[in-house]
Amino acid sequence: QGDIPTAEISNADLIDGAADILTLLVKSGLVPSRSEARRAVEQGGVTVDDVKIADVRTAYAKADLADGKLFKKGKKTFHKVEVK
């Protein structure tokens, strides 16, 4: 578990105390653009803590990300995302 790449996002990345799935995927470095993030979600290739994300409007509040969540794209690409 210690070798999981971790992406930290700042409060500046949050809108009204939350960040949507597309923003988080881009900020974490899992995808290069929001359009690619949208495609990944729509194709069912994105999970957060092993829960498949199907809605591109899914958002996470700062409190949800305080301890970090494991964002996965496909089978092999993953980052833990935390708010600092």
Side-chain angles (χ1 to χ4, degrees):
Q1 284 270 323
D3 56 354
I4 294 176
T6 300
E8 292 180 359
I9 62 169
S10 68
N11 285 325
D13 298 320
L14 302 174
I15 299 164
D16 294 331
D20 64 69
I21 187 75
L22 303 182
T23 299
L24 292 168
L25 288 169
V26 173
K27 293 283 183 191
S28 68
L30 285 174
V31 294
S33 66
R34 286 180 67 88
S35 59
E36 217 159 300
R38 178 180 300 274
R39 201 171 310 121
V41 170
E42 287 171 348
Q43 290 171 352
V46 175
T47 61
V48 177
D49 288 346
D50 295 325
V51 177
K52 187 176 288 224
I53 304 301
D55 187 352
V56 295
R57 292 180 307 253
T58 301
Y60 293 93
K62 180 178 180 180
D64 295 333
L65 299 167
D67 296 327
K69 287 202 172 291
L70 188 61
F71 283 69
K72 251 171 112 166
K73 178 183 152 257
K75 289 189 169 56
K76 296 192 171 71
T77 316
F78 51 87
H79 277 86
K80 188 172 181 180
V81 177
E82 302 174 336
V83 173
K84 286 289 175 227

